[in-house]
Amino acid sequence: MRLRLPAERPTEPPTGYKIAHPVLSQDGTRAGFTGVSLGGALPYTVLDDASCVYGRRHRPPARLCDCGFHCVHDRSAAEAMLCTAEHRTALLLEVSVLGAYIRFERGFRYARQRVRTATAGPCACGATAVALVDAGWGRPGWRALGPVCAGCVRGRTSVSLVGFARLAGQGLRVAARGGGSGLPVGESGESRAGAELGVPELVAEAALLQARLDWFQSQLARLGERGTGGAERG
């Protein structure tokens, strides 16, 4: 005789927390996340279904497999994982647990999820992040990103926190720890009215644009100096 766990029928989806690296598609038109453990090889979008990483023909979460999305119950437990060196540039995600799930002591393993908010930590220099920059690694077709401040972005491939939220769509909100939240976007992926941008978002966008402008001006100045030197030698 096999004992079965009691079935849960919550009135609203449970909330969970996890960490993941933000990723940008190769053509720069889509944004998503990639996990830090078993499912890291399979990037996922804001609203997505889990699949078995072993390629087995069953629906996650299967009891005799460890497939499916994973999250923990407590925000502090997810934040603790950000202390390790390999996870310092990951984002803290707040997710809605959708579809079938298996409850464990510390969290859930489940079939479907919606990422509601993503919080970026500070830049490597310690300043508050205003953008996500190419981290130098990725998955096939996806570039991994990491938090960066306006002073460190320079000319590297990057997307603002507001821009990442817009590309990800599905109502995602992106925030910087200690800073403002990103622009909320609708179910269709189109951004809402610009009037919803608050002061923190506008300040972050302006700082990022100014940093890029300063970098381009420095590059133009160097080119100008080279050109002048060449004319004098001629």
Side-chain angles (χ1 to χ4, degrees), residues 145-184:
L145 307 175
V148 67
C149 70
C152 295
V153 66
R154 299 187 180 90
R156 292 183 289 174
T157 300
S158 65
V159 59
S160 69
L161 301 184
V162 172
F164 185 87
R166 177 177 57 80
L167 291 173
Q170 296 293 339
L172 176 69
R173 296 185 66 90
V174 182
R177 198 178 307 161
S181 60
L183 172 67

Side-chain angles (χ1 to χ4, degrees), residues 40 53 101 142:
V53 295
Y101 61 81
W142 296 88

Side-chain angles (χ1 to χ4, degrees), residues 132-147:
L132 300 171
V133 71
D134 189 345
W137 62 277
R139 308 297 185 201
W142 296 88
R143 292 188 178 91
L145 307 175

Side-chain angles (χ1 to χ4, degrees), residues 6-15 96-103 108 110:
E8 296 185 30
R9 293 178 175 83
T11 56
E12 59 183 30
T15 296
S96 291
V97 175
L98 306 175
Y101 61 81
I102 300 174
R103 181 188 289 271
F108 298 97
Y110 50 104

Side-chain angles (χ1 to χ4, degrees), residues 15-216:
T15 296
Y17 302 91
K18 63 194 301 182
I19 65 172
H21 294 286
V23 292
L24 185 68
S25 63
Q26 183 178 358
D27 59 6
T29 61
R30 294 174 295 150
F33 304 94
T34 186
V36 298
S37 57
L38 180 65
L42 301 174
Y44 55 87
T45 56
V46 171
L47 179 62
D48 215 337
D49 295 295
S51 57
C52 182
V53 295
Y54 303 111
R56 296 171 182 167
R57 296 181 179 180
H58 56 230
R59 290 183 179 181
R63 289 193 176 275
L64 299 181
C65 187
D66 52 7
C67 60
F69 290 121
H70 296 72
C71 72
V72 294
H73 298 304
D74 299 325
R75 182 186 182 97
S76 59
E79 289 176 329
M81 293 186 282
L82 295 171
C83 294
T84 61
E86 62 271 28
H87 299 156
R88 288 290 178 92
T89 60
L91 305 189
L92 175 67
L93 307 185
E94 179 183 304
V95 302
S96 291
V97 175
L98 306 175
Y101 61 81
I102 300 174
R103 181 188 289 271
F104 295 94
E105 181 180 359
R106 298 190 61 191
F108 298 97
R109 181 160 61 90
Y110 50 104
R112 183 174 172 82
Q113 78 175 4
R114 178 188 295 275
V115 182
R116 298 204 304 257
T117 64
T119 304
C123 176
C125 72
T128 300
V130 300
L132 300 171
V133 71
D134 189 345
W137 62 277
R139 308 297 185 201
W142 296 88
R143 292 188 178 91
L145 307 175
V148 67
C149 70
C152 295
V153 66
R154 299 187 180 90
R156 292 183 289 174
T157 300
S158 65
V159 59
S160 69
L161 301 184
V162 172
F164 185 87
R166 177 177 57 80
L167 291 173
Q170 296 293 339
L172 176 69
R173 296 185 66 90
V174 182
R177 198 178 307 161
S181 60
L183 172 67
V185 292
E187 294 294 323
S188 64
E190 295 296 326
S191 62
R192 296 178 185 172
E196 293 192 15
L197 279 174
V199 173
E201 292 89 345
L202 292 174
V203 170
E205 286 289 286
L208 180 59
L209 291 174
Q210 185 61 54
R212 287 173 172 167
L213 179 59
D214 291 343
W215 183 83
F216 281 117

